[in-house]
Amino acid sequence: VQLQASGGGSVQPGGALTLSCAASGFTMGSYGIGWFRQAPGKEREGVSCISGSDSTYYADSIKGRFAIRRDNAKNTVYLQISDLKPEDTAVYYCAKSVGSTCRLRFGVYDRWGQGTLVTVSS
């Protein structure tokens, strides 16, 4: 069971990125998948998740700018980020829930990807 996060990069404020979380060793569509981020000097925080039934959840701090979706054929979950702000600078991680539900907190996740860095600056 592995998760591979990718798609990070350096962008200017107001820009957009799409992060990908590709899974191997399990069928992603049966599980909740979460995206978390950790900014320099800060604790890791949950930003979005999608349940096995495709219910989606977002942290209040990013609501309206982030969109999560899954592509079961590619066994991949995407996080589309728009109107990027300097405070979005962080390492973004995806994680697999122990079941089909998802939460914006760590306790329900048993596998983590390695993280992809997003840097927002002018």
Side-chain angles (χ1 to χ4, degrees), residues 1 3 26 31-33 94-99 106-113:
V1 174
L3 297 167
F26 71 101
Y31 293 89
I33 302 295
C94 60
K96 168 190 162 293
S97 175
V98 298
F106 312 138
V108 300
Y109 297 93
D110 62 354
R111 290 289 190 274
W112 292 79

Side-chain angles (χ1 to χ4, degrees), residues 25-43:
F26 71 101
T27 302
M28 205 176 228
S30 299
Y31 293 89
I33 302 295
W35 280 98
F36 293 75
R37 68 183 181 185
Q38 187 164 18
K42 295 188 176 181
E43 294 185 350

Side-chain angles (χ1 to χ4, degrees), residues 1-7 19-36 44 48-50 68-72 74-78 91-99 101-102 106 108-116:
V1 174
Q2 286 189 327
L3 297 167
Q4 180 79 33
S6 62
L19 307 183
S20 300
C21 177
S24 59
F26 71 101
T27 302
M28 205 176 228
S30 299
Y31 293 89
I33 302 295
W35 280 98
F36 293 75
R44 194 174 298 189
S48 183
C49 68
I50 184 167
I68 190 170
R69 63 179 178 90
R70 69 166 82 236
D71 183 333
N72 289 333
K74 295 184 178 180
N75 218 27
T76 299
V77 167
Y78 302 96
V91 178
Y92 285 72
Y93 300 89
C94 60
K96 168 190 162 293
S97 175
V98 298
T101 59
C102 73
F106 312 138
V108 300
Y109 297 93
D110 62 354
R111 290 289 190 274
W112 292 79
Q114 86 290 357
T116 186

Side-chain angles (χ1 to χ4, degrees), residues 35-37 45-49 57-59 61-62 66 79 92 104:
W35 280 98
F36 293 75
R37 68 183 181 185
E45 63 172 348
V47 294
S48 183
C49 68
Y57 303 88
Y58 299 95
S61 61
I62 56 84
F66 288 25
L79 184 68
Y92 285 72
L104 297 182

